[in-house]
């Protein structure tokens, strides 16, 4: 179940049936079927209205007929927990109606209102689920309560999602060789906030199957991108993972999916060979050569951003750009201006008079209430030099690698990253050529982050990107001159020369 902004989204029937079929097939794969059925203990710790439990119950009924010769249902076979009483009532009713179809009545169901994150001293051999998705940003009180518990202290990570806790609790509740199948968003595979979650799964068992979708499995959750994974609590069996990524299928072992940063990279043999070559021939990470800084967070754009230049505020106004202004190698002219008010600025009476109508809104910002900034300052102004010295411009989200160069004043918001030199001798043109190359895009496709069909060029994956950076000035100047041509006037043939240079460097 997904809960967000006071609404719930339940697992579609077809998806629920497929998940149940997958985990039952694995559970009954080996051993005595009667003994396995006798001992089965299934739980959905965020069961909602029972969309995953219902196909599980029906599957059990059919198996009981096959194995026992009669339709039978035992209370201890299935448990479901949630905090939504209305949903639980619906789940019980639907399961009882299903049981009646098989002439089974008067069965007490173990479906109850309970905070499953507090469950302890109970074990299951199958856990199924579609846990609630909630970000910490708008649900701080909920996260604070969990953080105060021993469970929360063990698993909490800054900027994590609420559903991480449900995966970790499922790992705890599974007995040895127990099976877990979950439907979630796919962001946690590579998210900075998913380190503890990935470690928990890595240190306690192995994936058996992973399916990744480039669209939402829910009609009313557009923009969400899902993963269904089957995992076994067993470290002794390093069985291959069956991977299905948007219809592309392959197998990979569990010990091959974790990169050097413990992020999960799902790549077939060809992709892994590509990754190995990039790492083999690289001699730096981008983080070794450049600073990667996020743009301005104003806290209230309406107060600070102008769509026209106002001469009476000329000492404060700076050219302000949107991320869509960034193109490959170059950028458009700014259409906006921003009042750049940082800790070094003193405002004059005219500006204070202009800002006064926004006082109530500006004064409520966290950094103002904690007295880190004055009420009229930008919430996060950043260091001014990153906007004014030579830099590479990065759109935080983009369908391809469109990175630009600027040596003029270019102020932008937090959906733009600014790449500047760590030392004066670093050649930004060479780095820009690499970042705009096909090689870079392929690396990021396998190892970076996505939001739907958009790459997410965030600071961490950019910093972790390997690069070949030559010591030979001739090589640096060769690419620099080509990049300068592209900045002056983009040309596909020139880009092909740049691409071929890097293909040759990495022996691809």
């Amino acid at each position: 179940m997904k809960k967000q902004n006071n609404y719930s989204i339940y697992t579609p029937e077809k998806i629920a049936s497929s998940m149940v079929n997958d985990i039952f097939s694995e559970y009954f794969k080996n051993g005595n079927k009667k003994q396995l059925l006798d001992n089965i203990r299934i739980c959905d710790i965020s069961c909602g209205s029972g969309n995953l439990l219902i196909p599980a119950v029906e599957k059990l009924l059919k198996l009981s007929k096959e194995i026992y010769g009669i339709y039978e249902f035992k209370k201890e076979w299935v448990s479901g927990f949630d905090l939504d009483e209305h949903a639980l009532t619906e789940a019980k009713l639907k399961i009882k109606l299903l049981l009646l179809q098989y002439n089974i009545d008067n069965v007490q169901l173990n479906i109850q209102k309970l905070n499953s994150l507090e469950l302890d001293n109970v074990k299951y051999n199958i856990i199924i689920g579609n846990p609630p998705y909630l970000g910490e940003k708008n649900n701080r009180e909920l996260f604070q309560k969990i953080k105060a518990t021993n469970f929360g202290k063990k698993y909490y990570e800054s900027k994590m999602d609420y559903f991480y806790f449900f995966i970790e609790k499922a790992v705890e509740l599974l007995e040895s060789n127990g099976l877990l199948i979950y439907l979630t968003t796919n962001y946690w595979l590579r998210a900075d906030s998913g380190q503890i979650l990935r470690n928990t799964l890595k240190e306690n068992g192995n994936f058996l199957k992973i399916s990744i979708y480039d669209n939402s499995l829910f009609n009313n959750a557009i923009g969400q991108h899902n993963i269904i994974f089957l995992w076994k609590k067993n470290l002794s069996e390093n069985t291959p993972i069956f991977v299905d990524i948007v219809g592309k299928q392959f197998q990979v072992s569990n010990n091959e999916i974790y990169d050097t940063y413990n992020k999960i990279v799902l790549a077939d043999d060809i992709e892994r060979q590509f990754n190995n070559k990039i790492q083999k021939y690289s001699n730096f990470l981008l983080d070794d050569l450049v600073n990667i800084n996020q743009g301005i967070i104003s806290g209230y754009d309406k107060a600070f951003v102008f769509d026209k230049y106002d001469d009476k505020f000329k000492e404060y106004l700076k050219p302000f750009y949107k991320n869509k202004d960034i193109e490959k190698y170059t950028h458009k002219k700014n259409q906006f201006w921003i009042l750049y008010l940082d800790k070094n600025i003193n405002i004059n009476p005219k500006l204070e008079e202009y800002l006064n109508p926004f006082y109530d809104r500006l004064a409520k910002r966290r950094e103002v209430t904690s007295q880190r900034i004055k009420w009229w300052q930008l919430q996060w102004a950043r260091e001014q030099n990153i906007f004014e010295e030579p830099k590479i411009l990065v759109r935080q989200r983009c369908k391809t690698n469109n990175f630009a160069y600027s040596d003029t004043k270019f102020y932008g918001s937090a959906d733009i990253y600014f790449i500047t030199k760590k030392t004066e001798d670093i050649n930004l043109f060479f780095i820009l050529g690499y970042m705009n190359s096909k090689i870079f895009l392929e690396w990021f496709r396998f190892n970076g982050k996505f939001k739907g069909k958009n790459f997410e060029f965030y600071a961490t994956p950019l910093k972790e990107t390997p690069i070949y950076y030559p010591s030979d000035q001739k090589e640096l100047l060769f690419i620099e001159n080509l990049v300068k041509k592209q900045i002056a006037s983009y040309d596909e043939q020139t880009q092909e020369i740049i691409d071929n240079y890097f293909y040759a460097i990495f022996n691809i």
Side-chain angles (χ1 to χ4, degrees):
M1 178 179 66
K2 173 180 186 254
K3 292 183 179 180
Q4 184 175 339
N5 300 328
N6 296 320
Y7 69 86
S8 302
I9 298 177
Y10 299 105
T11 312
E13 184 178 337
K14 185 177 178 181
I15 298 298
S17 295
S18 175
M19 290 170 65
V20 167
N21 285 336
D22 278 353
I23 203 162
F24 270 62
S25 295
E26 186 63 33
Y27 178 78
F28 286 99
K29 186 169 67 174
N30 299 307
N32 181 288
K33 275 196 171 183
K34 181 180 182 304
Q35 187 177 2
L36 287 168
L37 182 57
D38 289 341
N39 295 325
I40 200 166
R41 300 291 183 269
I42 301 170
C43 185
D44 184 342
I45 61 175
S46 56
C47 68
S49 60
N51 286 31
L52 278 162
L53 290 179
I54 289 162
V57 170
E58 187 157 29
K59 193 84 172 173
L60 287 167
L61 290 167
K62 292 177 179 178
L63 282 166
S64 70
K65 176 70 171 177
E66 176 190 328
I67 294 168
Y68 300 148
I70 59 170
Y71 291 115
E72 188 173 339
F73 181 80
K74 299 177 182 178
K75 173 190 173 184
E76 60 267 24
W77 279 352
V78 173
S79 300
F81 308 108
D82 206 287
L83 291 173
D84 187 333
E85 288 191 51
H86 176 77
L88 290 169
T89 300
E90 186 179 344
K92 289 177 185 177
L93 177 61
K94 289 192 290 188
I95 292 173
K96 285 183 177 180
L97 288 173
L98 174 61
L99 291 171
L100 282 173
Q101 292 177 30
Y102 291 85
N103 296 317
I104 296 174
D105 197 3
N106 298 321
V107 174
Q108 187 177 0
L109 300 174
N110 188 29
I111 310 292
Q112 56 182 300
K113 182 179 179 180
L114 187 145
N115 182 353
S116 56
L117 296 182
E118 296 175 357
L119 267 175
D120 205 359
N121 298 320
V122 60
K123 291 291 181 183
Y124 304 96
N125 43 38
I126 288 179
I127 293 182
I128 55 179
N130 170 20
Y133 314 148
L134 293 168
E136 183 177 10
K137 184 177 179 181
N138 297 316
N139 300 279
R140 294 192 184 279
E141 186 177 345
L142 174 63
F143 279 79
Q144 289 297 325
K145 286 181 180 178
I146 298 173
K147 282 169 65 176
T149 68
N150 289 331
F151 175 80
K153 289 172 184 174
K154 183 176 180 181
Y155 294 113
Y156 171 78
E157 295 180 83
S158 177
K159 299 182 181 178
M160 68 181 291
D161 197 287
Y162 190 55
F163 76 80
Y164 292 15
F165 289 129
F166 286 81
I167 299 175
E168 290 150 346
K169 176 53 71 172
V171 172
E172 288 190 354
L173 295 175
L174 279 174
E175 64 183 31
S176 179
N177 294 312
L179 296 166
L180 167 66
I181 193 163
Y182 261 16
L183 163 58
T184 71
T185 59
N186 62 20
Y187 195 72
W188 61 271
L189 296 175
R190 301 177 189 174
D192 294 346
S193 61
Q195 285 289 354
I196 293 175
L197 172 59
R198 291 189 294 269
N199 277 334
T200 300
L201 292 167
K202 182 180 180 180
E203 292 170 2
N204 289 279
N206 287 307
F207 291 99
L208 302 178
K209 183 177 180 181
I210 297 175
S211 298
I212 293 181
Y213 304 85
D214 67 347
N215 61 335
S216 175
L217 295 177
F218 306 96
N219 292 331
N220 47 352
I222 296 169
Q224 185 185 112
H225 302 89
N226 297 116
I227 176 175
I228 297 174
F229 68 91
L230 176 61
W231 179 90
K232 186 173 186 178
K233 192 171 182 177
N234 186 322
L235 282 170
S236 62
E237 300 175 13
N238 189 19
T239 54
I241 311 169
F242 176 80
V243 180
D244 186 333
I245 303 179
V246 199
K248 178 183 178 181
Q249 299 173 345
F250 58 90
Q251 287 189 329
V252 61
S253 68
N254 273 269
N255 57 18
E256 290 176 317
I257 66 172
Y258 296 95
D259 68 10
T260 54
Y261 302 97
N262 205 38
K263 295 179 180 179
I264 293 176
V265 177
L266 299 170
D268 61 18
D269 288 340
I270 294 173
E271 293 163 350
R272 286 200 304 278
Q273 289 172 17
F274 172 89
N275 277 358
N276 290 339
K277 284 187 175 181
I278 298 296
Q279 290 169 333
K280 177 181 178 181
Y281 293 104
S282 294
N283 53 359
F284 292 98
L285 299 178
L286 279 180
D287 190 42
D288 298 324
L289 306 174
V290 294
N291 304 300
I292 301 176
N293 299 288
Q294 193 176 33
I296 296 165
I297 296 176
S298 73
Y300 191 45
D301 279 3
K302 189 174 180 181
F304 297 99
V305 178
F306 293 12
D307 57 8
K308 291 181 180 178
Y309 184 81
D310 191 330
D311 194 61
K312 67 176 175 286
F313 301 132
K314 62 182 178 181
E315 64 184 291
Y316 306 107
L317 287 176
K318 304 293 182 184
F320 190 69
Y321 295 79
K322 302 292 187 178
N323 67 359
K324 64 183 180 181
D325 295 328
I326 299 170
E327 299 176 328
K328 207 173 186 82
Y329 292 105
T330 58
H331 60 82
K332 299 175 184 175
K333 181 174 172 49
N334 69 296
Q335 300 297 312
F336 300 91
W337 300 84
I338 189 168
L339 290 168
Y340 187 76
L341 306 176
D342 67 359
K343 60 187 177 183
N344 300 314
I345 297 291
N346 292 312
I347 60 172
N348 61 30
K350 282 187 180 179
L351 182 55
E352 186 168 6
E353 182 183 355
Y354 162 77
L355 289 172
N356 272 330
F358 305 110
Y359 175 83
D360 288 345
R361 179 67 181 263
L362 296 177
K364 290 177 182 176
R365 293 175 298 166
R366 183 185 60 192
E367 284 68 23
V368 178
T369 58
S370 64
Q371 299 185 335
R372 296 183 65 178
I373 61 171
K374 296 177 181 178
W375 71 267
W376 45 264
Q377 290 175 348
L378 293 165
Q379 186 165 328
W380 293 100
R382 315 301 184 190
E383 295 296 326
Q384 192 168 358
N385 65 296
I386 72 171
F387 307 116
E388 303 206 348
E389 65 184 52
K391 56 204 161 288
I392 295 171
L393 307 168
V394 178
R395 292 174 65 169
Q396 191 182 78
R397 288 199 181 106
C398 194
K399 287 185 168 59
T400 188
N401 53 335
N402 285 346
F403 302 107
Y405 176 80
S406 173
D407 58 5
T408 60
K409 293 179 181 180
F410 188 111
Y411 288 71
S413 58
D415 58 357
I416 299 174
Y417 284 96
F418 297 79
I419 295 180
T420 56
K421 305 175 185 180
K422 280 198 169 176
T423 59
E424 191 54 39
D425 60 334
I426 296 298
N427 190 312
L428 282 182
F429 296 105
F430 182 92
I431 293 171
L432 178 59
Y434 174 62
M435 292 179 68
N436 274 331
S437 71
K438 289 180 178 178
I439 285 279
F440 177 92
L441 189 64
E442 285 301 294
W443 167 266
F444 221 86
R445 193 186 310 281
F446 301 147
N447 301 277
K449 292 182 181 179
F450 295 87
K451 183 75 171 179
K453 299 184 185 300
N454 285 316
F455 292 93
E456 289 195 327
F457 296 113
Y458 282 17
T460 298
L462 285 172
K463 289 176 181 179
E464 294 170 354
T465 299
I467 180 174
Y468 166 77
Y469 187 85
S471 56
D472 187 342
Q473 286 296 314
K474 290 181 181 178
E475 280 189 79
L476 291 168
L477 288 172
F478 173 70
I479 294 299
E480 177 182 334
N481 290 332
L482 292 171
V483 167
K484 285 180 175 178
K485 284 184 180 180
Q486 295 295 70
I487 293 170
S489 179
Y490 183 83
D491 175 70
E492 285 292 346
Q493 290 182 326
T494 303
Q495 187 58 43
E496 188 175 351
I497 297 170
I498 294 171
D499 289 335
N500 288 338
Y501 167 83
F502 286 108
Y503 278 131
I505 288 296
F506 292 108
N507 195 25
I508 292 172

